């Protein structure tokens, strides 16, 4: 049985990011949010596009005002008003100034802006009451970005700030990586659909809904294959289909050691190499990770499909997804960095207990208390079969193997969710 860290290392080593031209597509900027940029972007525009004012005030020649003070103010003739979006007509001569507004083009001859609060205007003249610094409040052309150089690198997620930069750079279309395709299936005779009346011994298959939601949150495309009964023939048929259409296949249930847990045997019969069979964690001990031979897929795939056989219990499904599957999807998507799980050290509000035999994950919520994050353990049972108290959680407290107690107000490491 592998440690959690060893299992994580194996999984991430198996994942090769999308990087082939067949794995890219062109999208409009308005639909590019949350996509992964596939090629670097340059722009033919300088930023700023021209020298412009960072302040409402007066564009002047520094040598005319360098000795100004309240007692001995420089008096300058105002020759032009320059609002934003206006092309100046005048060249500032000695003894002259132009009224200027934030973002407006600096007129020829001027090299400094005096903020209006340090001036006094009388009709067509302005009096400078305090000497500015040379080139003060002037934003120089290309000082933020020089045309033709790299604006954004490939392998980044396009959030609002990147979209704003690309819009300003007049990039209407972008090359992005396609969304990874994630096939999802649930196994078990006991499973019923969400709209099916429950018979004795049956439970609703909540796993496929949870996994599909998590897949969509990750930016990938879920391919929902539904419930498969504990029938080796049926399971083999569905898994073979899933491997042919997806980059990653996720099943829940059927990976323990019971008489009806067929997944590992079917994977081996299909030629898969099983890299992980169990992990020293609670919940989530039964975890299968496998790869297949060269894909026989009708759609492009950068690698052999990666198979995750997750446990059947709902809490174990979510914990193993957050811990192992989500970083794998992020890395596959083409992100060059930031796909690893995010851990924080915070203060525990509650007493946290474990038997110490396995790395233990307790669900709960982070609260900001007087500027310090506290982990509040979710109420109720932390059984792997209890999904009720998973609602509204945003963190998992991690108790390492050998740790049996974390007292209130002690530090604990948490896995941040979402």
């Amino acid at each position: 049985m592998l440690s959690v860290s060893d299992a994580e290392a194996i999984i991430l080593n198996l994942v090769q990011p999308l990087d082939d031209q067949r794995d890219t597509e062109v999208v409009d900027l308005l639909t590019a949010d949350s996509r992964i940029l596939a090629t670097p972007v340059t722009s033919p525009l300088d930023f700023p596009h021209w020298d412009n004012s960072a302040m409402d005030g007066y564009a002047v020649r520094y040598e005319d005002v360098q000795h100004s003070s309240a007692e001995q103010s420089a008096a300058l003739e105002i020759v032009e008003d320059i609002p934003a979006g206006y092309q100046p007509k005048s060249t500032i001569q000695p003894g002259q100034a132009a009224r200027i507004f934030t973002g407006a083009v600096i007129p020829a001859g001027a090299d400094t802006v005096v903020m209006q609060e340090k001036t006094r205007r009388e009709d067509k003249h302005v009096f400078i009451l305090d000497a500015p610094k040379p080139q003060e409040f002037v934003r120089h052309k290309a000082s933020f970005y020089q045309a033709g150089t790299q604006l954004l690198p490939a392998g980044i997620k396009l959030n609002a700030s990147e979209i704003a930069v690309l819009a300003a750079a007049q990039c209407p279309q972008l090359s992005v990586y396609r969304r990874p395709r994630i096939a999802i299936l649930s196994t078990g005779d006991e499973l019923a659909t969400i709209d099916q009346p429950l018979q004795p011994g049956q439970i609703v298959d909540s796993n496929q809904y949870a996994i599909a939601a998590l897949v969509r949150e990750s930016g990938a495309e879920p391919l929902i294959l539904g419930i498969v009964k504990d029938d080796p023939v049926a399971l083999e048929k569905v898994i073979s289909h899933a491997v042919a259409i997806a980059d990653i296949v996720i099943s829940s249930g059927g990976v323990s050691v019971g008489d009806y847990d067929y997944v590992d045997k079917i994977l081996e019969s299909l030629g898969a190499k099983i890299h992980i069979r169990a992990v020293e964690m609670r919940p989530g001990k039964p975890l299968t990770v496998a790869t297949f031979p060269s894909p026989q897929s009708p759609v492009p795939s950068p690698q052999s499909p990666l198979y995750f056989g997750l446990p059947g219990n709902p809490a174990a499904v979510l914990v193993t997804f957050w811990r192992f599957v989500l970083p794998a999807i992020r890395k596959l998507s083409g992100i060059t960095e930031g796909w690893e799980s995010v851990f924080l050290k915070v203060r525990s509000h509650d007493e946290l207990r474990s038997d110490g035999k396995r790395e233990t994950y307790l669900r709960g919520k982070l609260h900001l208390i007087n500027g310090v994050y506290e982990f509040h353990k979710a109420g109720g049972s932390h059984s792997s079969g209890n999904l009720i108290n998973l609602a509204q959680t945003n963190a998992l407290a991690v108790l390492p193997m050998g740790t049996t107690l974390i007292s209130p107000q002690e530090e604990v490491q948490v896995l941040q969710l979402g």
Side-chain angles (χ1 to χ4, degrees), residues 39-316:
T39 56
V41 175
T42 61
S43 173
L45 300 175
D46 290 315
F47 287 85
H49 309 320
W50 45 73
D51 289 358
N52 71 90
S53 176
M55 189 69 63
D56 289 350
Y58 293 87
V60 301
R61 291 161 22 102
Y62 176 70
E63 61 185 281
D64 287 343
V65 299
Q66 59 182 316
H67 301 301
S68 293
S69 66
E71 294 77 21
Q72 195 172 10
S73 59
L76 304 175
E77 179 190 5
I78 302 170
V79 296
E80 190 172 16
D81 280 6
I82 308 174
Y86 173 81
Q87 179 62 44
K89 303 292 192 297
S90 304
T91 296
I92 303 303
Q93 304 293 337
Q96 294 182 340
R99 178 76 168 107
I100 197 165
F101 297 87
T102 303
V105 177
I106 300 293
D111 57 16
T112 300
V113 173
V114 180
M115 61 190 300
Q116 64 185 22
E117 290 85 353
K118 295 184 178 180
T119 66
R120 184 181 79 252
R121 181 167 181 168
E122 294 182 7
D123 194 20
K124 292 294 185 179
H125 287 81
V126 61
F127 294 86
I128 309 303
L129 306 179
D130 192 10
K133 297 176 182 177
Q135 303 185 50
E136 190 168 23
F137 299 125
V138 175
R139 296 187 291 220
H140 292 284
K141 178 182 178 180
S143 59
F144 301 162
Y145 167 80
Q146 186 174 1
T149 60
Q150 181 172 283
L151 181 65
L152 292 176
I156 62 170
K157 185 177 181 180
L158 298 174
N159 295 314
S161 54
E162 289 79 22
I163 296 294
V165 168
L166 292 165
Q170 294 186 320
C171 297
Q173 293 186 316
L174 303 164
S175 176
V176 299
Y177 288 116
R178 65 173 175 83
R179 298 184 188 277
R181 293 177 290 268
I182 315 297
I184 303 167
L185 60 130
S186 303
T187 70
D189 290 340
E190 75 280 12
L191 299 178
T193 61
I194 195 170
D195 55 354
Q196 178 182 339
L198 293 179
Q199 302 300 315
Q202 287 189 317
I203 57 173
V204 174
D205 174 25
S206 62
N207 288 341
Q208 69 169 302
Y209 290 91
I211 295 171
L214 290 168
V215 166
R216 280 189 289 267
E217 287 176 11
S218 74
E221 176 188 357
L223 309 174
I224 301 175
L225 303 183
I227 299 169
V228 186
K229 297 298 183 182
D230 289 324
D231 175 353
V233 175
L235 265 174
E236 182 171 341
K237 181 179 179 181
V238 174
I239 291 174
S240 296
H241 174 62
V243 169
I245 64 172
D247 302 294
I248 291 177
V249 180
I250 304 174
S251 67
S252 60
V255 293
S256 190
V257 291
D259 293 341
Y260 298 97
D261 294 328
Y262 301 118
V263 169
D264 282 13
K265 293 178 181 178
I266 290 171
L267 294 177
E268 290 174 335
S269 73
L270 293 173
K273 179 178 180 179
I274 298 180
H275 301 269
I276 299 173
R277 295 179 186 270
V279 182
E280 291 177 323
M281 65 184 296
R282 183 192 305 272
K285 174 184 172 183
L287 173 70
T288 294
V289 178
T291 52
F292 288 83
S294 298
Q296 303 296 316
S297 173
V299 292
S301 178
Q303 59 184 2
S304 300
L306 185 60
Y307 191 100
F308 286 94
L310 306 185
N313 283 318

Side-chain angles (χ1 to χ4, degrees), residues 302-384:
Q303 59 184 2
S304 300
L306 185 60
Y307 191 100
F308 286 94
L310 306 185
N313 283 318
V317 164
L318 289 174
V319 170
T320 50
F321 186 99
W322 284 319
R323 189 65 184 86
F324 300 119
V325 184
L326 183 55
I329 294 175
R330 287 173 177 160
K331 184 177 180 182
L332 173 65
S333 71
I335 296 175
T336 53
E337 60 182 14
W339 31 262
E340 304 91 342
S341 298
V342 177
F343 291 93
L344 304 174
K345 287 187 176 180
V346 305
R347 189 169 60 200
S348 179
H349 177 268
D350 306 296
E351 181 179 274
L352 307 177
R353 287 189 173 274
S354 164
D355 63 11
K357 296 179 181 179
R358 284 181 272 164
E359 188 166 298
T360 300
Y361 292 75
L362 300 174
R363 47 224 185 236
K365 194 167 186 177
L366 289 176
H367 292 273
L368 191 60
I369 309 296
N370 296 325
V372 177
Y373 276 110
E374 279 191 353
F375 176 79
H376 291 235
K377 179 184 173 185
S381 168
H382 281 243
S383 161
S384 60

